[in-house]
Amino acid sequence: MPWDTHLLPPELRDLQVVIEGHARSYGLDFYPTIFEVLDYDELSEIASLGGFPVRYPHWRFGMEYDQLSKGYRYGLQKIYEMVINNDPCYAYLLRCNPLVDQKLVMAHVYGHNDFFKNNQFFAHTNRKMMDEMANHGSRVRAIIDREGETAVERFIDCCLSLENLIDIHSPYIKRRKPPERFGVDAAEQGGEASHTPGRLPSKQYMDGFINPPETLRAEAEKSRAERDRPRRFPEEPERDVLLFLLENAPLKPWQHDILAIIRDEAYYFAPQGQTKIMNEGWASYWHSTIMTRHCLDPSELIDYADHHSGTMAMTGGRLNPYKIGIELLRDIEQRWDRGQFGPEWQACDDVQERARWDKAVGLGRQKIFEVRRVHNDITFIDEFLTPEFCRRHKLFSFGFNDDAETYEIESREFPKIKERLLFSLTNFGQPIIRVRDANYANRGELYLEHIAANEVGLRFDFAQRTLENLHRIWMRPVHIETIDDETPTLLSYDGTDHSVLPLAAPRRARLVRSGRREG
């Protein structure tokens, strides 16, 4: 299809200018935005590639395309828009959408674009990712030409099964110690005396009293023993498993290149998972504001209300990030407009007075722009979710009832609701895995540990497949320590068989083959 068929028709180009002007008038700050119009087949293809039509080839993208296209064909789902964190920002419109939907989507896209540019959790991401993805695609295709499609595809399968084993906080936290310096001369280190452990600076005539020989000998012995002590590798647990594998696994050059590509893309997409509620809430807030105040024709009101309400709908057992995000932002704006914050507000325990509270300080819009800049979903919920908000929106926590064998309402108490919500957001609701020992049992085996900080357990069938893929990369037996029914348990794979060893019980392993435990 010729390129110019994807460009905006004159009517939509005029709308873009108008909507962009309204967005800027509210203080939104965004990258230049390039809209393209696609039919649903083209939009499904780009969506299956994560929004990047230049991405490397893999069967997973074809499977996702098939799922998206069938969902649309059977009336089960519809993609209204897609927007890419890039400079310039690329956004895709669905050709068959009516004009009211095109206006809504454009306003929504400018909200996302502003969020991408200004939220601190996107600050480290590559703003030229479209070019980087094209580079990744070229490198993978060149590797396929050299190594063969089957070998490369199977290795990509392994890497993709491990792509969530990264440290999503590492761009903001310095995890590792700086490398030690060797070969520094005595003058730079403070003189020859500074090489003697425990020696304190002193005058020559006082040296025997300040630095007794027997004390210096003891300090020297202690230092030598510390230096000769067997050290665990790594010395501290490593949460970025992919980085550890890149640095230490026996990878071929082409395998190292592919694993590095998978890791780079995982870190690019991570902030979108960290800010899903805020990002969608911010974009929904601005499309609602711009549409209802500026761009909505009276004849479009019913269609707009129908589509907006469908996007915001909440059902039991399903958390809608659009609804939670926009309502919490509106709640923050209202509270800061009325002065419902600070020590005086916190000290007030009169229900009627709190309901009438209005200091008319008008800081709401300023506050939500600050929130947009510095928070992610976890800090957003932790800081601004209130008991009043939960009661007003009828939020509750639910859990599985073993007796009834069904999910049911567990609690309507605010602390429980907040705790459940924060646990579901921690590490995207996925298990937290770290490398604890890369020389387990002094045999070069890889030992991982599962940290149950967010109460997310391991599914043994998933864990076993993951261990198989780790073994293919590490080339030695791999293990992971977890909790199974409150019992510390070690899952292992030696390249042939799986084993399950309760660590608190007698050391008798159970073999597991084909995903089924055997006694």
Side-chain angles (χ1 to χ4, degrees):
M1 182 176 291
W3 170 256
D4 57 2
T5 61
H6 292 162
L7 300 180
L8 290 182
E11 184 181 24
L12 292 184
R13 283 204 302 271
D14 294 340
L15 276 176
Q16 179 183 1
V17 172
V18 171
I19 293 172
E20 182 173 316
H22 291 311
R24 291 194 186 279
S25 71
Y26 282 107
L28 296 186
D29 175 30
F30 38 79
Y31 296 119
T33 307
I34 299 174
F35 285 98
E36 295 182 25
V37 180
L38 309 176
D39 60 38
Y40 199 85
D41 191 62
E42 294 168 325
L43 188 56
S44 296
E45 182 178 350
I46 291 178
S48 68
L49 292 162
F52 295 92
V54 293
R55 207 169 181 187
Y56 62 85
H58 188 255
W59 64 266
R60 182 187 71 167
F61 304 135
M63 185 176 66
E64 292 180 358
Y65 163 77
D66 189 57
Q67 182 181 14
L68 289 172
S69 59
K70 284 183 178 178
Y72 176 71
R73 194 178 307 125
Y74 299 151
L76 302 176
Q77 63 188 20
K78 181 179 179 180
I79 302 173
Y80 278 95
E81 52 83 22
M82 176 162 287
V83 56
I84 308 303
N85 170 30
N86 196 77
D87 181 12
C89 178
Y90 291 91
Y92 305 101
L93 304 176
L94 186 59
R95 191 185 307 277
C96 63
N97 276 345
L99 188 62
V100 62
D101 285 347
Q102 304 291 28
K103 291 192 288 188
L104 184 155
V105 167
M106 283 184 175
H108 193 86
V109 163
Y110 281 112
H112 278 309
N113 194 349
D114 171 85
F115 195 91
F116 289 146
K117 183 176 180 180
N118 296 283
N119 183 266
Q120 288 299 311
F121 289 85
F122 287 89
H124 71 279
T125 57
N126 187 348
R127 303 301 190 173
K128 299 295 181 183
M129 198 60 184
M130 189 67 75
D131 297 337
E132 187 68 19
M133 286 287 190
N135 179 29
H136 291 173
S138 298
R139 286 156 60 187
V140 172
R141 289 181 178 90
I143 293 171
I144 290 174
D145 290 341
R146 294 196 311 267
E147 306 295 333
E149 183 176 2
T150 301
V152 175
E153 190 171 79
R154 287 178 178 173
F155 188 74
I156 292 177
D157 291 345
C158 287
C159 297
L160 289 176
S161 73
L162 309 173
E163 66 178 342
N164 63 330
L165 299 183
I166 59 175
D167 182 1
I168 59 175
H169 303 297
S170 63
Y172 329 103
I173 301 175
K174 190 174 182 178
R175 299 287 194 188
R176 296 183 173 186
K177 298 177 182 178
E180 296 181 1
R181 301 173 64 196
F182 295 96
V184 181
D185 60 26
E188 186 177 347
Q189 292 288 345
E192 183 179 352
S194 64
H195 291 289
T196 304
R199 177 177 289 278
L200 301 174
S202 65
K203 300 291 185 180
Q204 184 175 2
Y205 68 92
M206 291 291 293
D207 191 63
F209 295 96
I210 296 177
N211 298 300
E214 59 276 10
T215 301
L216 295 180
R217 282 195 296 271
E219 289 290 339
E221 286 293 331
K222 181 180 177 181
S223 177
R224 189 159 43 249
E226 176 68 20
R227 191 168 57 250
D228 296 339
R229 175 179 60 85
R231 297 181 182 275
R232 174 177 288 174
F233 173 64
E235 292 191 18
E236 298 292 334
E238 289 271 1
R239 186 166 166 184
D240 192 338
V241 179
L242 293 190
L243 178 60
F244 187 84
L245 294 175
L246 281 170
E247 294 177 341
N248 301 286
L251 296 170
K252 298 176 182 177
W254 69 267
Q255 293 174 326
H256 188 280
D257 197 19
I258 286 179
L259 184 56
I261 288 173
I262 300 297
R263 180 175 176 271
D264 286 346
E265 295 185 5
Y267 272 106
Y268 168 81
F269 287 112
Q272 298 183 32
Q274 290 176 281
T275 60
K276 179 69 173 178
I277 293 174
M278 284 190 65
N279 201 342
E280 296 297 355
W282 184 255
S284 300
Y285 175 94
W286 287 111
H287 89 230
S288 175
T289 301
I290 293 172
M291 288 293 290
T292 55
R293 296 186 182 182
H294 304 286
C295 296
L296 195 60
D297 188 88
S299 64
E300 299 169 334
L301 178 61
I302 299 301
D303 288 334
Y304 168 77
D306 178 54
H307 297 165
H308 178 79
S309 62
T311 304
M312 300 298 151
M314 292 273 282
T315 59
R318 173 178 170 266
L319 182 69
N320 186 338
Y322 295 82
K323 178 67 171 178
I324 295 295
I326 190 174
E327 294 297 348
L328 199 48
L329 285 169
R330 286 172 173 168
D331 184 67
I332 294 168
E333 184 177 30
Q334 181 183 30
R335 287 166 56 196
W336 261 256
D337 277 342
R338 302 175 64 179
Q340 295 177 342
F341 60 92
E344 186 180 358
W345 165 257
Q346 296 295 335
C348 178
D349 56 4
D350 187 298
V351 176
Q352 293 183 353
E353 184 179 353
R354 289 171 73 93
R356 295 190 301 266
W357 191 290
D358 188 357
K359 302 295 184 180
V361 294
L363 297 175
R365 186 62 56 83
Q366 176 184 333
K367 184 62 180 180
I368 62 173
F369 270 90
E370 175 193 318
V371 169
R372 173 267 274 152
R373 188 176 70 254
V374 301
H375 285 276
N376 64 15
D377 285 348
I378 292 178
T379 60
F380 181 56
I381 296 297
D382 189 40
E383 181 73 17
F384 299 108
L385 190 71
T386 64
E388 294 83 3
F389 182 89
C390 291
R391 285 195 296 269
R392 187 161 60 250
H393 294 279
K394 299 181 175 62
L395 299 184
F396 57 86
S397 65
F398 64 94
F400 189 77
N401 187 322
D402 292 326
D403 296 330
E405 295 185 348
T406 185
Y407 285 95
E408 59 184 31
I409 294 177
E410 180 183 54
S411 175
R412 294 188 185 273
E413 296 180 1
F414 172 68
K416 192 67 175 180
I417 295 170
K418 185 175 181 179
E419 178 187 81
R420 286 288 190 187
L421 190 52
L422 291 175
F423 277 163
S424 70
L425 296 172
T426 301
N427 201 46
F428 315 137
Q430 298 174 346
I432 298 174
I433 308 295
R434 303 190 304 186
V435 176
R436 196 167 85 185
D437 192 354
N439 189 28
Y440 178 62
N442 201 30
R443 292 197 294 259
E445 300 177 4
L446 187 63
Y447 192 103
L448 308 173
E449 59 181 349
H450 167 220
I451 308 299
N454 57 344
E455 296 189 351
V456 177
L458 288 184
R459 278 188 53 173
F460 277 21
D461 53 344
F462 285 9
Q464 288 163 6
R465 302 289 85 78
T466 302
L467 289 178
E468 291 174 9
N469 291 328
L470 277 169
H471 180 273
R472 182 173 180 184
I473 294 175
W474 191 251
M475 304 298 291
R476 297 285 298 161
V478 291
H479 316 268
I480 184 166
E481 181 181 327
T482 185
I483 302 294
D484 181 23
D485 292 332
E486 300 184 357
T487 301
T489 303
L490 187 67
L491 308 182
S492 303
Y493 180 69
D494 62 4
T496 304
D497 296 319
H498 291 277
S499 64
V500 180
L501 176 66
L503 297 178
R507 299 182 66 83
R508 183 174 64 87
R510 292 174 288 162
L511 289 181
V512 182
R513 294 187 177 89
S514 302
R516 300 179 60 185
R517 297 183 183 178
E518 300 179 2

